């Protein structure tokens, strides 16, 4: 699951920004399941060890370079 602040809603689809190995971000479509305690279950679109952007999504665009902060 991911924090619901990580989800971008566009029309009927949902996306997250996945952080790639070179610290560039990729807008990735996800299929979600149950929402619980501020988190949303991811059924498809991400793998277990994928890193995603949690907040500040409105300032981002596909392909941008980010400086990840791991918490």
């Amino acid at each position: 699951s991911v924090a619901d602040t990580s989800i971008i809603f566009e029309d009927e689809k949902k996306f997250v920004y996945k952080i790639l190995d070179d610290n560039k971000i990729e807008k990735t479509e996800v299929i979600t399941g149950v929402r619980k305690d501020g988190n949303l279950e991811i059924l498809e679109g991400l793998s277990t060890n994928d890193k995603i952007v949690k907040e500040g999504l409105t300032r981002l665009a596909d392909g941008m370079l980010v400086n990840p902060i791991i918490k």
Side-chain angles (χ1 to χ4, degrees):
S1 68
V2 300
D4 55 8
T5 59
S6 303
I7 304 290
I8 303 162
F9 296 89
E10 290 183 3
D11 299 319
E12 300 296 317
K13 297 182 179 183
K14 297 174 189 138
F15 299 88
V16 297
Y17 281 117
K18 182 167 59 170
I19 303 171
L20 305 176
D21 290 336
D22 59 0
N23 287 341
K24 287 188 179 180
I25 56 174
E26 178 180 73
K27 191 174 183 181
T28 304
E29 186 175 358
V30 293
I31 306 298
T32 60
V34 178
R35 180 186 306 259
K36 182 178 179 184
D37 299 328
N39 290 314
L40 203 52
E41 177 184 28
I42 302 296
L43 300 175
E44 293 180 31
L46 293 176
S47 298
T48 303
N49 293 321
D50 285 344
K51 294 182 267 183
I52 61 163
V53 177
K54 183 177 177 181
E55 51 193 36
L57 305 177
T58 58
R59 299 183 302 244
L60 301 177
D62 197 35
M64 285 181 73
L65 188 63
V66 296
N67 185 16
I69 299 171
I70 307 299
K71 292 185 179 182

